[in-house]
């Protein structure tokens, strides 16, 4: 499996996380608004990395739990890690889009939250493209607040739903049927982010 990610803009920190365990792959596409660092001293890259490692740990330790449950637990853990030092309730604090792919007993399971996209090649037809259509609807009420804090926000696509444990249950998820696996039955395809 190959995973790559690059910073969205040259000279900036990469705010993405990719990782895998033998039966799962995770992509976390960190999101934030420039100029809001006073809300979270850790930053978007920290948030994405912590969320990704917490989620991978849970995927390894609790293979019988649902993906939305594991993601909600990971979000809650990361939120608790900086609740005392940062304004985690502000909708402009760091957030993330997430894509998860898990293989269990030859069944492929996926979850997509926010503006991440997962493309799965199927053995019996056209690729399955999975996205969370709520991202555009959810971000609209915050558009004015984003523009007030960062006037260039209207030109960015980095904004996604503030990752809250209650939001993970509405993520796009499912079992796509027969997936064409290129290497082995134990290595899910990787997902990629543009930053």
């Amino acid at each position: 499996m190959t995973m790559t990610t690059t910073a969205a803009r040259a000279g900036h920190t990469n705010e993405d996380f990719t990782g895998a365990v033998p039966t799962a792959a995770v992509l976390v596409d960190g999101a934030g608004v420039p100029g809001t660092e006073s809300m979270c001293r850790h930053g978007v890259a920290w948030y994405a990395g912590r969320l990704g490692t917490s989620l991978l740990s849970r995927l390894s330790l609790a293979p019988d739990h649902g993906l939305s449950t594991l993601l909600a637990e990971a979000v809650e853990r990361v939120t608790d890690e900086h609740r005392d030092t940062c304004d985690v309730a502000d909708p402009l604090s760091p957030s993330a889009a997430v894509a998860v792919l898990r293989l269990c007993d030859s069944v492929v399971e996926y979850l997509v939250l926010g503006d991440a996209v997962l493309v799965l090649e199927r053995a019996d037809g056209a690729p399955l493209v999975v996205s969370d259509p709520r991202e555009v609807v959810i971000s609209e009420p915050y558009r004015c607040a984003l523009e007030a804090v960062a006037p260039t926000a209207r030109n960015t696509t980095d904004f996604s739903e503030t990752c809250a444990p209650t939001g993970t249950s509405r993520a796009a998820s499912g079992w796509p049927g027969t997936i064409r696996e290129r290497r082995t039955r134990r290595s899910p395809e990787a997902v990629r982010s543009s930053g």
Side-chain angles (χ1 to χ4, degrees), residues 98-113:
V98 179
V100 181
L101 185 65
R102 176 168 66 180
L103 177 63
C104 184
D105 296 327
S106 73
V107 174
V108 175
E109 186 179 8
Y110 62 82
L111 177 142
V112 175
L113 176 68

Side-chain angles (χ1 to χ4, degrees), residues 158-171:
D158 288 343
F159 183 75
S160 65
E161 175 182 8
T162 299
C163 214
T166 56
T168 62
S169 64
R170 295 182 303 271

Side-chain angles (χ1 to χ4, degrees), residues 6 11 18 34 42 56 61 71 78 80 85 89 122 130 133 138 153 160 174 182:
T6 59
T18 60
H42 299 94
L56 276 178
L61 299 173
L71 178 57
V78 175
D80 286 346
T85 59
R122 295 189 277 194
V130 183
I138 290 168
S160 65
R182 295 183 181 191

Side-chain angles (χ1 to χ4, degrees):
M1 177 184 315
T2 302
M3 293 187 223
T4 61
T5 181
T6 59
R9 294 174 297 277
H12 287 83
T13 302
N14 187 344
E15 298 174 338
D16 298 339
F17 170 90
T18 60
V21 293
T23 58
V26 171
L27 166 77
V28 178
D29 183 1
V33 177
T36 59
E37 293 79 11
S38 63
M39 290 176 206
C40 177
R41 67 183 178 114
H42 299 94
V44 175
W46 176 89
Y47 182 83
R50 295 295 252 216
L51 182 58
T53 55
S54 181
L55 182 54
L56 276 178
S57 172
R58 281 165 170 67
L59 285 162
S60 296
L61 299 173
D64 56 333
H65 288 71
L67 296 180
S68 63
T69 299
L70 296 174
L71 178 57
E73 291 172 359
V75 168
E76 190 64 37
R77 178 178 178 186
V78 175
T79 301
D80 286 346
E81 287 181 22
H82 69 135
R83 185 181 308 279
D84 295 335
T85 59
C86 304
D87 187 0
V88 298
D90 192 300
L92 297 178
S93 65
S95 62
V98 179
V100 181
L101 185 65
R102 176 168 66 180
L103 177 63
C104 184
D105 296 327
S106 73
V107 174
V108 175
E109 186 179 8
Y110 62 82
L111 177 142
V112 175
L113 176 68
D115 65 352
V117 176
L118 182 64
V119 180
L120 301 171
E121 188 174 338
R122 295 189 277 194
D124 60 351
L128 174 66
V129 178
V130 183
S131 63
D132 182 354
R134 300 170 310 120
E135 190 272 330
V136 173
V137 173
I138 290 168
S139 66
E140 195 55 39
Y142 300 108
R143 186 62 52 201
C144 290
L146 283 168
E147 290 177 5
V149 173
T152 60
R154 74 175 67 86
N155 298 323
T156 182
T157 58
D158 288 343
F159 183 75
S160 65
E161 175 182 8
T162 299
C163 214
T166 56
T168 62
S169 64
R170 295 182 303 271
S173 61
W175 299 267
T178 306
I179 303 295
R180 179 180 303 143
E181 297 179 44
R182 295 183 181 191
R183 297 218 169 113
T184 69
R185 303 225 20 106
R186 299 194 47 85
S187 296
E189 293 292 321
V191 290
R192 196 175 94 165
S193 169
S194 61

